[in-house]
Amino acid sequence: MMERESSDEEEDREILISQNARPNDVVKSPNHRRTSAFDIGDDFTNRFSIASRRLNKRYIFAIFLPIVILLLYFTTDLKNLFQMRVPISRDVGDSNGVVSRMRESELRALYLLKQQEIELFKMWNYTTLVNNSNLVNSSVVNNNGVGLVSVSMMEELKTRFFNQISLNKQIQEALLSAHESEGFVNSNENYTDLSFAGWSRCGKVDQRLSERRTIEWKPRSNKYLFAICVSGQMSNHLICLEKHMFFAALLNRILVIPSSKVDYEFHRVLDIEHINKCLGRKVVITFEEFAESKKNHLHVNKFMCYFSLPLPCFIDDERVKKLKGLGLSLSKIESVWKEDVKNPKQKTIQDVVEKFSSEDDVIAIGDVFFADVEREWVMQPGGPIAHKCKTLIEPSRLILLTAQRFVQTFLGKDFIALHFRRHGFLKFCNAKQPSCFYPVPQAAECINRVVERANSPVIYLSTDAAESETGLLQSLVVWNAKTVPLVQRPARNSAEKWDALLYRHGLEGDSQVEAMLDKTICALSSVFIGSSGSTFTEDILRLRKDWGSASLCDEYLCQGELPNFIAENE
């Protein structure tokens, strides 16, 4: 027989007599031995020994357990031990553990990205500290007088940091989307808030007005420059007028605004007297004022053409007939040099003064929309002429107030403006290299990127597009899984009072007033997206630059991209 291993329980069984056993059975049992009086002590000793062993084990366990816990507590880095403990569900039947390993790698990547985000945020705080410590005023200069870090470089550095932090956050969210539980990543601190640390990603452009180069406009009495603008629509004519003002300042002449009988009704969209107030003297007059001063003896003494091709002064017989219909007699039209509107050459102030200076009372130089004279000087904020206002050519007071009321009613302070030029733009753009006409889905993608940067809740849409295009565009402009509203000016409604000023002054329904109203609303936006090649957009950009509302996020639609599909030419 196999010998049984002894234990406390087996020993207890051996010394106990079953309550059901008979005395004779006990006697007859082969394992039974007779107990004498001297065996009582041994039995007691055995029982005490067994009980003592059992108690000693319990006491020892109770004493050493706290010691073990304390040792583990002081010798184990519990923070690291539990920092990334996450439940990983293993797919049934995945014998090779491929899915599990993939998920473990993703979680590891999340952990590393989180560490990177923290480090980037520390670097961001450092740039803020440098900026606030006045180390960067206009620039940081070393002992040799060499600029180390300019303000623009610091803003660029901040933008790059923000882009990295934002990208990091996007990667984390993309990885998290594959997992049901997100508890292992601390998302309470949103370092990628678009306005943290008081910095806006789409801040205002520093126009450096202190560096502005200007000339004085001090016209001689009874010396006039008769403005003639022919090419394009209202926006082209406003740019033409702006350049005429520059020529008038160079030649020391009063500028005569064209009559509404041969040009647009500028008095309905512009505050002409505002120009005179800004300079503190009479520098522009209407055609009616000019006619009154000349006692209806209207004559252009010298007609010198800036452009000779394709037509002298860029005017045709129809325009000449309209001018004469005003009672205006014209001298012979002649060109002072060979200049083509399709290929204008850069000219200087000296060139203009030399060719167009005259002692005649009234001169004309024709359309100068395409003239390229001192480009950087003319295009600077506020223009090239010294004045005490933000800009000389701006919307009338009625249009400006109406635009402000519309913004207060429908848009609020933070909105993006989009000039989405479409009508006639397909052929115009495809004739250019590269084309500037984008399919609606591609345009929507470009707009979405600007919306993400600007973090604006609404877009003002200025467009001539059909409803079929704007409807599709609206369905595709989405941010944070929400459609971003595209707001357009509604039809006249007597219950709405934002346009009451135009209605009371008889300006409602005027297409040019409405166009200028659109420009003004766009110029008031926090961010502007324009259409490349459109003078309507260029005039908005001029206003934004002059008013100081230009943003670092302003851009042309899909700037730097080619259309992903271009139709063949006819």
Side-chain angles (χ1 to χ4, degrees):
M1 292 178 61
M2 296 180 59
E3 295 182 359
R4 294 183 302 166
E5 295 181 358
S6 62
S7 67
D8 292 341
E9 293 181 357
E10 289 169 345
E11 288 177 355
D12 287 342
R13 288 195 200 100
E14 288 178 355
I15 62 174
L16 294 176
I17 300 175
S18 173
Q19 295 179 357
N20 296 326
R22 295 191 301 270
N24 292 336
D25 293 333
V26 173
V27 173
K28 294 178 182 178
S29 174
N31 296 325
H32 174 72
R33 66 182 179 88
R34 192 175 298 276
T35 304
S36 65
F38 299 101
D39 290 330
I40 294 175
D42 293 337
D43 183 65
F44 178 78
T45 301
N46 290 335
R47 292 191 180 199
F48 180 80
S49 176
I50 294 168
S52 297
R53 287 197 299 270
R54 295 175 65 185
L55 288 174
N56 287 341
K57 290 180 179 180
R58 291 172 183 173
Y59 285 137
I60 290 171
F61 181 79
I63 291 170
F64 280 98
L65 179 60
I67 296 174
V68 171
I69 292 174
L70 288 173
L71 288 173
L72 287 173
Y73 179 82
F74 287 109
T75 60
T76 305
D77 188 353
L78 296 178
K79 182 180 178 181
N80 290 333
L81 183 64
F82 296 105
Q83 185 173 7
M84 290 298 294
R85 296 298 184 189
V86 293
I88 300 175
S89 59
R90 299 182 180 276
D91 294 352
V92 178
D94 182 21
S95 58
N96 296 325
V98 176
V99 174
S100 296
R101 287 195 299 273
M102 179 185 69
R103 291 185 177 178
E104 289 172 1
S105 298
E106 290 176 348
L107 295 175
R108 177 62 179 170
L110 277 171
Y111 170 76
L112 294 175
L113 284 170
K114 188 65 180 178
Q115 300 307 309
Q116 182 196 44
E117 182 189 31
I118 293 171
E119 290 302 316
L120 286 171
F121 189 70
K122 289 178 181 177
M123 296 172 73
W124 169 268
N125 284 338
Y126 173 75
T127 62
T128 304
L129 178 64
V130 171
N131 193 47
N132 293 337
S133 63
N134 294 325
L135 291 176
V136 178
N137 188 0
S138 60
S139 63
V140 177
V141 180
N142 64 13
N143 294 330
N144 296 323
V146 179
L148 299 178
V149 183
S150 66
V151 174
S152 60
M153 288 175 62
M154 180 59 70
E155 287 300 318
E156 176 66 20
L157 182 62
K158 285 183 178 181
T159 301
R160 289 180 179 274
F161 273 126
F162 183 87
N163 290 341
Q164 289 301 315
I165 295 172
S166 180
L167 177 61
N168 177 281
K169 196 71 173 180
Q170 292 177 39
I171 296 172
Q172 290 186 53
E173 291 174 356
L175 289 170
L176 280 171
S177 64
H179 302 274
E180 295 181 357
S181 175
E182 301 181 6
F184 49 85
V185 174
N186 182 10
S187 299
N188 293 329
E189 294 179 300
N190 184 14
Y191 296 137
T192 56
D193 179 27
L194 294 175
S195 60
F196 68 84
W199 177 75
S200 173
R201 195 177 181 186
C202 294
K204 301 302 180 186
V205 176
D206 181 7
Q207 301 292 359
R208 299 183 178 181
L209 295 178
S210 60
E211 302 174 9
R212 184 166 164 249
R213 178 188 176 193
T214 60
I215 62 169
E216 295 288 336
W217 187 0
K218 296 181 178 180
R220 294 173 291 171
S221 60
N222 299 320
K223 300 296 180 182
Y224 301 95
L225 173 62
F226 194 90
I228 297 176
C229 297
V230 179
S231 60
Q233 299 182 16
M234 171 67 86
S235 297
N236 297 50
H237 287 227
L238 291 177
I239 295 173
C240 173
L241 275 182
E242 186 179 22
K243 292 184 178 182
H244 260 105
M245 288 166 55
F246 184 43
F247 280 90
L250 293 177
L251 301 173
N252 298 318
R253 291 178 174 272
I254 297 172
L255 183 67
V256 180
I257 303 296
S259 168
S260 58
K261 294 180 179 180
V262 297
D263 209 327
Y264 291 105
E265 296 181 274
F266 291 109
H267 67 279
R268 293 173 69 88
V269 296
L270 298 179
D271 189 346
I272 296 175
E273 193 55 35
H274 162 82
I275 301 172
N276 294 321
K277 289 179 180 178
C278 289
L279 276 89
R281 63 182 69 93
K282 200 77 168 179
V283 293
V284 296
I285 60 174
T286 64
F287 177 80
E288 289 70 25
E289 290 175 300
F290 171 70
E292 179 66 22
S293 67
K294 291 295 182 180
K295 303 301 181 183
N296 294 321
H297 297 291
L298 307 179
H299 178 65
V300 175
N301 304 107
K302 202 165 189 178
F303 214 131
M304 302 174 284
C305 296
Y306 186 95
F307 286 102
S308 57
L309 297 172
L311 293 171
C313 286
F314 205 50
I315 59 175
D316 54 16
D317 293 339
E318 183 66 26
R319 178 64 54 141
V320 171
K321 186 182 299 185
K322 286 183 178 181
L323 290 172
K324 290 181 177 180
L326 296 173
L328 185 69
S329 60
L330 307 175
S331 63
K332 182 181 179 181
I333 299 176
E334 53 188 359
S335 301
V336 299
W337 52 32
K338 185 177 180 180
E339 188 74 6
D340 191 343
V341 296
K342 295 181 179 180
N343 186 29
K345 300 180 181 67
Q346 292 186 15
K347 303 294 183 181
T348 66
I349 291 175
Q350 291 74 21
D351 295 331
V352 172
V353 172
E354 178 184 343
K355 291 294 184 180
F356 297 99
S357 291
S358 173
E359 292 301 320
D360 292 291
D361 288 346
V362 183
I363 68 171
I365 59 176
D367 195 311
V368 291
F369 170 74
F370 295 100
D372 187 3
V373 179
E374 304 286 359
R375 184 184 310 168
E376 293 184 2
W377 194 2
V378 171
M379 296 299 292
Q380 66 182 340
I385 301 171
H387 58 83
K388 58 185 179 181
C389 301
K390 291 183 177 180
T391 184
L392 293 179
I393 296 182
E394 68 177 18
S396 68
R397 182 68 177 166
L398 291 176
I399 293 176
L400 177 59
L401 288 175
T402 302
Q404 291 175 348
R405 292 181 177 186
F406 180 85
V407 171
Q408 184 177 359
T409 302
F410 295 100
L411 303 170
K413 179 181 178 181
D414 183 19
F415 71 98
I416 297 172
L418 168 65
H419 175 222
F420 193 52
R421 171 74 185 274
R422 302 299 274 185
H423 180 70
F425 219 45
L426 175 59
K427 184 176 181 180
F428 169 80
C429 279
N430 281 359
K432 298 176 63 177
Q433 293 295 332
S435 175
C436 51
F437 191 89
Y438 298 88
V440 172
Q442 184 180 0
E445 290 180 5
C446 299
I447 296 167
N448 287 337
R449 290 196 292 269
V450 177
V451 171
E452 180 185 358
R453 291 201 306 272
N455 192 26
S456 297
V458 65
I459 297 175
Y460 177 68
L461 178 61
S462 173
T463 186
D464 54 5
E467 187 176 349
S468 56
E469 291 184 72
T470 58
L472 176 59
L473 183 67
Q474 175 64 90
S475 67
L476 295 174
V477 178
V478 178
W479 183 59
N480 273 351
K482 295 181 181 179
T483 299
V484 181
L486 300 180
V487 178
Q488 294 180 265
R489 284 185 298 103
R492 167 71 184 164
N493 188 331
S494 59
E496 297 176 357
K497 300 302 180 183
W498 64 269
D499 58 349
L501 289 175
L502 299 183
Y503 180 77
R504 289 204 301 264
H505 289 82
L507 297 175
E508 81 287 352
D510 186 312
S511 61
Q512 297 309 319
V513 171
E514 291 181 348
M516 183 59 77
L517 179 58
D518 259 15
K519 285 184 182 180
T520 309
I521 295 171
C522 290
L524 294 173
S525 65
S526 52
V527 173
F528 174 64
I529 306 171
S531 293
S532 177
S534 167
T535 53
F536 190 94
T537 282
E538 295 305 318
D539 205 33
I540 294 171
L541 291 173
R542 177 189 64 82
L543 279 175
R544 290 178 63 77
K545 178 177 58 181
D546 293 352
W547 283 352
S549 59
S551 163
L552 294 170
C553 293
D554 288 358
E555 64 177 47
Y556 296 112
L557 181 65
C558 295
Q559 186 169 310
E561 291 186 27
L562 293 175
N564 59 31
F565 186 88
I566 301 176
E568 296 178 357
N569 293 327
E570 296 179 5

Short mmCIF file of all heavy atoms in Angstrom, two decimals, residues 422 425-440 442 561-570:
data_model
loop_
_atom_site.label_atom_id
_atom_site.label_comp_id
_atom_site.label_asym_id
_atom_site.label_seq_id
_atom_site.Cartn_x
_atom_site.Cartn_y
_atom_site.Cartn_z
N ARG A 422 -18.37 84.01 -60.29
CA ARG A 422 -18.65 82.89 -61.18
C ARG A 422 -19.14 83.34 -62.56
O ARG A 422 -18.70 82.83 -63.58
CB ARG A 422 -19.70 81.95 -60.56
CG ARG A 422 -19.32 81.38 -59.22
CD ARG A 422 -18.08 80.55 -59.28
NE ARG A 422 -18.32 79.16 -59.64
CZ ARG A 422 -17.38 78.22 -59.66
NH1 ARG A 422 -16.14 78.55 -59.34
NH2 ARG A 422 -17.66 76.99 -60.00
N PHE A 425 -16.86 84.09 -65.45
CA PHE A 425 -15.50 83.89 -64.95
C PHE A 425 -14.86 82.63 -65.51
O PHE A 425 -13.64 82.52 -65.52
CB PHE A 425 -15.52 83.84 -63.42
CG PHE A 425 -14.36 84.52 -62.77
CD1 PHE A 425 -13.94 85.77 -63.20
CD2 PHE A 425 -13.68 83.93 -61.72
CE1 PHE A 425 -12.87 86.42 -62.60
CE2 PHE A 425 -12.61 84.56 -61.11
CZ PHE A 425 -12.21 85.81 -61.55
N LEU A 426 -15.68 81.68 -65.94
CA LEU A 426 -15.15 80.42 -66.46
C LEU A 426 -14.29 80.68 -67.70
O LEU A 426 -13.14 80.23 -67.78
CB LEU A 426 -16.30 79.46 -66.79
CG LEU A 426 -15.93 78.13 -67.45
CD1 LEU A 426 -14.97 77.33 -66.59
CD2 LEU A 426 -17.18 77.31 -67.74
N LYS A 427 -14.83 81.41 -68.67
CA LYS A 427 -14.08 81.70 -69.89
C LYS A 427 -12.90 82.61 -69.60
O LYS A 427 -11.80 82.42 -70.13
CB LYS A 427 -15.03 82.33 -70.92
CG LYS A 427 -14.37 82.59 -72.26
CD LYS A 427 -15.38 83.13 -73.26
CE LYS A 427 -14.72 83.37 -74.62
NZ LYS A 427 -15.70 83.90 -75.62
N PHE A 428 -13.12 83.62 -68.74
CA PHE A 428 -12.06 84.56 -68.40
C PHE A 428 -10.88 83.85 -67.75
O PHE A 428 -9.71 84.08 -68.11
CB PHE A 428 -12.63 85.64 -67.46
CG PHE A 428 -11.58 86.51 -66.82
CD1 PHE A 428 -11.02 87.56 -67.52
CD2 PHE A 428 -11.16 86.27 -65.52
CE1 PHE A 428 -10.05 88.37 -66.94
CE2 PHE A 428 -10.19 87.07 -64.93
CZ PHE A 428 -9.63 88.12 -65.64
N CYS A 429 -11.17 82.97 -66.80
CA CYS A 429 -10.09 82.30 -66.07
C CYS A 429 -9.37 81.27 -66.93
O CYS A 429 -8.14 81.13 -66.84
CB CYS A 429 -10.66 81.61 -64.81
SG CYS A 429 -10.91 82.73 -63.42
N ASN A 430 -10.11 80.54 -67.74
CA ASN A 430 -9.48 79.51 -68.57
C ASN A 430 -8.61 80.11 -69.67
O ASN A 430 -7.79 79.41 -70.27
CB ASN A 430 -10.54 78.59 -69.17
CG ASN A 430 -11.04 77.56 -68.17
OD1 ASN A 430 -10.58 77.53 -67.02
ND2 ASN A 430 -11.99 76.73 -68.57
N ALA A 431 -8.77 81.40 -69.92
CA ALA A 431 -7.90 82.07 -70.89
C ALA A 431 -6.58 82.47 -70.24
O ALA A 431 -5.64 82.86 -70.94
CB ALA A 431 -8.59 83.30 -71.46
N LYS A 432 -6.52 82.36 -68.91
CA LYS A 432 -5.30 82.72 -68.18
C LYS A 432 -4.47 81.48 -67.90
O LYS A 432 -4.96 80.35 -67.94
CB LYS A 432 -5.66 83.40 -66.85
CG LYS A 432 -6.44 84.70 -67.00
CD LYS A 432 -6.83 85.25 -65.64
CE LYS A 432 -5.61 85.60 -64.82
NZ LYS A 432 -5.98 86.22 -63.52
N GLN A 433 -3.21 81.69 -67.61
CA GLN A 433 -2.31 80.61 -67.23
C GLN A 433 -1.66 80.96 -65.89
O GLN A 433 -0.87 81.90 -65.83
CB GLN A 433 -1.24 80.39 -68.31
CG GLN A 433 -1.76 79.86 -69.61
CD GLN A 433 -2.34 78.46 -69.49
OE1 GLN A 433 -1.93 77.68 -68.63
NE2 GLN A 433 -3.30 78.15 -70.36
N PRO A 434 -2.01 80.23 -64.81
CA PRO A 434 -2.97 79.12 -64.77
C PRO A 434 -4.40 79.63 -64.62
O PRO A 434 -4.62 80.81 -64.33
CB PRO A 434 -2.53 78.36 -63.52
CG PRO A 434 -1.99 79.43 -62.62
CD PRO A 434 -1.32 80.43 -63.53
N SER A 435 -5.35 78.73 -64.79
CA SER A 435 -6.75 79.09 -64.65
C SER A 435 -7.08 79.41 -63.19
O SER A 435 -6.43 78.91 -62.27
CB SER A 435 -7.63 77.93 -65.14
OG SER A 435 -9.00 78.21 -64.91
N CYS A 436 -8.11 80.25 -62.98
CA CYS A 436 -8.53 80.63 -61.63
C CYS A 436 -9.97 80.23 -61.35
O CYS A 436 -10.59 80.75 -60.42
CB CYS A 436 -8.35 82.14 -61.42
SG CYS A 436 -9.10 83.17 -62.72
N PHE A 437 -10.53 79.34 -62.18
CA PHE A 437 -11.92 78.89 -61.99
C PHE A 437 -11.89 77.47 -61.42
O PHE A 437 -11.42 76.54 -62.07
CB PHE A 437 -12.67 78.90 -63.33
CG PHE A 437 -14.15 78.71 -63.19
CD1 PHE A 437 -14.99 79.79 -63.02
CD2 PHE A 437 -14.70 77.44 -63.23
CE1 PHE A 437 -16.37 79.61 -62.89
CE2 PHE A 437 -16.07 77.24 -63.10
CZ PHE A 437 -16.91 78.34 -62.94
N TYR A 438 -12.42 77.32 -60.20
CA TYR A 438 -12.32 76.04 -59.48
C TYR A 438 -13.67 75.34 -59.41
O TYR A 438 -14.70 75.98 -59.20
CB TYR A 438 -11.80 76.28 -58.06
CG TYR A 438 -10.42 76.88 -58.03
CD1 TYR A 438 -10.23 78.26 -58.07
CD2 TYR A 438 -9.28 76.07 -58.00
CE1 TYR A 438 -8.97 78.81 -58.06
CE2 TYR A 438 -8.00 76.62 -58.00
CZ TYR A 438 -7.86 77.99 -58.03
OH TYR A 438 -6.60 78.54 -58.03
N PRO A 439 -13.67 74.01 -59.56
CA PRO A 439 -14.90 73.25 -59.34
C PRO A 439 -15.42 73.50 -57.93
O PRO A 439 -14.64 73.71 -56.99
CB PRO A 439 -14.46 71.79 -59.52
CG PRO A 439 -13.20 71.86 -60.33
CD PRO A 439 -12.53 73.13 -59.95
N VAL A 440 -16.73 73.47 -57.75
CA VAL A 440 -17.33 73.77 -56.45
C VAL A 440 -16.79 72.88 -55.33
O VAL A 440 -16.45 73.39 -54.24
CB VAL A 440 -18.87 73.70 -56.54
CG1 VAL A 440 -19.49 73.82 -55.15
CG2 VAL A 440 -19.40 74.81 -57.44
N GLN A 442 -13.86 71.45 -55.01
CA GLN A 442 -12.50 71.88 -54.68
C GLN A 442 -12.52 73.22 -53.96
O GLN A 442 -11.78 73.44 -52.99
CB GLN A 442 -11.65 71.98 -55.94
CG GLN A 442 -10.18 72.32 -55.66
CD GLN A 442 -9.35 72.42 -56.93
OE1 GLN A 442 -9.86 72.24 -58.03
NE2 GLN A 442 -8.07 72.70 -56.78
N GLU A 561 -3.12 76.75 -55.64
CA GLU A 561 -3.58 75.48 -56.21
C GLU A 561 -4.02 75.67 -57.66
O GLU A 561 -4.48 76.75 -58.05
CB GLU A 561 -4.77 74.92 -55.42
CG GLU A 561 -4.44 74.44 -54.04
CD GLU A 561 -5.63 73.76 -53.38
OE1 GLU A 561 -6.49 73.22 -54.12
OE2 GLU A 561 -5.71 73.79 -52.14
N LEU A 562 -3.91 74.60 -58.42
CA LEU A 562 -4.47 74.58 -59.76
C LEU A 562 -5.85 73.92 -59.70
O LEU A 562 -6.08 73.04 -58.88
CB LEU A 562 -3.57 73.78 -60.71
CG LEU A 562 -2.20 74.38 -61.02
CD1 LEU A 562 -1.40 73.41 -61.88
CD2 LEU A 562 -2.34 75.71 -61.74
N PRO A 563 -6.80 74.33 -60.56
CA PRO A 563 -8.07 73.62 -60.62
C PRO A 563 -7.81 72.14 -60.94
O PRO A 563 -6.96 71.82 -61.77
CB PRO A 563 -8.81 74.31 -61.76
CG PRO A 563 -8.19 75.68 -61.85
CD PRO A 563 -6.75 75.48 -61.48
N ASN A 564 -8.52 71.25 -60.25
CA ASN A 564 -8.28 69.82 -60.49
C ASN A 564 -8.89 69.32 -61.80
O ASN A 564 -8.71 68.16 -62.17
CB ASN A 564 -8.77 68.98 -59.30
CG ASN A 564 -10.25 69.17 -59.02
OD1 ASN A 564 -11.05 69.42 -59.92
ND2 ASN A 564 -10.63 69.04 -57.75
N PHE A 565 -9.62 70.19 -62.47
CA PHE A 565 -10.14 69.85 -63.80
C PHE A 565 -10.32 71.15 -64.58
O PHE A 565 -10.87 72.12 -64.06
CB PHE A 565 -11.48 69.12 -63.72
CG PHE A 565 -11.99 68.63 -65.05
CD1 PHE A 565 -11.61 67.38 -65.52
CD2 PHE A 565 -12.81 69.42 -65.84
CE1 PHE A 565 -12.06 66.94 -66.76
CE2 PHE A 565 -13.26 68.98 -67.06
CZ PHE A 565 -12.88 67.73 -67.52
N ILE A 566 -9.83 71.18 -65.83
CA ILE A 566 -9.93 72.37 -66.68
C ILE A 566 -10.49 71.95 -68.04
O ILE A 566 -9.95 71.04 -68.68
CB ILE A 566 -8.57 73.06 -66.85
CG1 ILE A 566 -8.00 73.49 -65.49
CG2 ILE A 566 -8.69 74.27 -67.78
CD1 ILE A 566 -6.62 74.10 -65.57
N ALA A 567 -11.55 72.60 -68.47
CA ALA A 567 -12.16 72.28 -69.76
C ALA A 567 -11.28 72.76 -70.90
O ALA A 567 -10.47 73.69 -70.74
CB ALA A 567 -13.54 72.93 -69.85
N GLU A 568 -11.44 72.14 -72.05
CA GLU A 568 -10.68 72.55 -73.22
C GLU A 568 -11.21 73.88 -73.76
O GLU A 568 -12.36 74.26 -73.51
CB GLU A 568 -10.78 71.48 -74.30
CG GLU A 568 -10.16 70.14 -73.91
CD GLU A 568 -10.33 69.10 -75.00
OE1 GLU A 568 -10.98 69.41 -76.02
OE2 GLU A 568 -9.82 67.98 -74.83
N ASN A 569 -10.38 74.57 -74.49
CA ASN A 569 -10.79 75.83 -75.12
C ASN A 569 -11.71 75.57 -76.30
O ASN A 569 -11.76 74.45 -76.85
CB ASN A 569 -9.56 76.61 -75.60
CG ASN A 569 -8.71 77.10 -74.44
OD1 ASN A 569 -9.23 77.42 -73.36
ND2 ASN A 569 -7.41 77.16 -74.64
N GLU A 570 -12.45 76.59 -76.66
CA GLU A 570 -13.39 76.45 -77.79
C GLU A 570 -12.65 76.18 -79.09
O GLU A 570 -11.54 76.66 -79.29
CB GLU A 570 -14.20 77.75 -77.94
CG GLU A 570 -15.09 78.05 -76.73
CD GLU A 570 -15.85 79.35 -76.90
OE1 GLU A 570 -15.76 79.96 -78.01
OE2 GLU A 570 -16.50 79.79 -75.95
#
